[in-house]
Amino acid sequence: MVEERSKLSTTVMIFSLLLMLVILLGENHAAASIIETPSPTPQPQPINNTSPMYGTTQGSLQPQECGGRCSTRCSKTRFKKPCMFFCQKCCAKCLCVPPGTYGNKQLCPCYNNWKTKRGGPKCP
């Protein structure tokens, strides 16, 4: 009698495990059959760098153009590394770099108005 109960409980346990396996595989198969359509990749906007104000007004640069503009901006300083660091940080936020190596910040208000905690200019 005890042996029959043991066989019966083993059979019920195996049946339960198989049933759970079938249910899990069915859910996994249903989830795998859902096809996600890929979102369209954004296309880069054409760069119109023929304007004399290109890159000097807020939002007129593409992020990948900051390095070249900052190299020009920091070309005459003795402190190239910090100048480049802060110039690129400001350019990434404002998407503009004032022309020349010094001054002209009024052309890029975001660049001009970003201050340190102590009130000094953040951008070179």
Side-chain angles (χ1 to χ4, degrees), residues 1-63:
M1 180 95 153
V2 174
E3 192 174 303
E4 287 179 25
R5 278 190 180 172
S6 176
K7 285 183 182 180
L8 181 62
S9 65
T10 304
T11 305
V12 169
M13 186 182 303
I14 291 173
F15 179 74
S16 299
L17 287 173
L18 287 174
L19 183 62
M20 288 178 15
L21 182 65
V22 168
I23 291 172
L24 288 174
L25 287 176
E27 287 178 4
N28 192 18
H29 179 69
S33 66
I34 298 172
I35 300 173
E36 292 184 27
T37 57
S39 61
T41 56
Q43 298 298 320
Q45 298 297 318
I47 299 171
N48 178 16
N49 57 5
T50 57
S51 168
M53 294 302 288
Y54 180 75
T56 60
T57 56
Q58 187 169 341
S60 62
L61 282 179
Q62 299 289 324

Side-chain angles (χ1 to χ4, degrees), residues 3 6 8 17-18 30 32 35 46 63 65 68-69 72 78-79 95 105-106 115 119 123:
E3 192 174 303
S6 176
L8 181 62
L17 287 173
L18 287 174
I35 300 173
E65 297 174 287
R69 293 292 177 137
T72 302
R78 291 182 292 165
F79 309 103
L95 294 177
K105 290 185 182 181
Q106 71 278 3
K115 305 292 182 193
C123 306

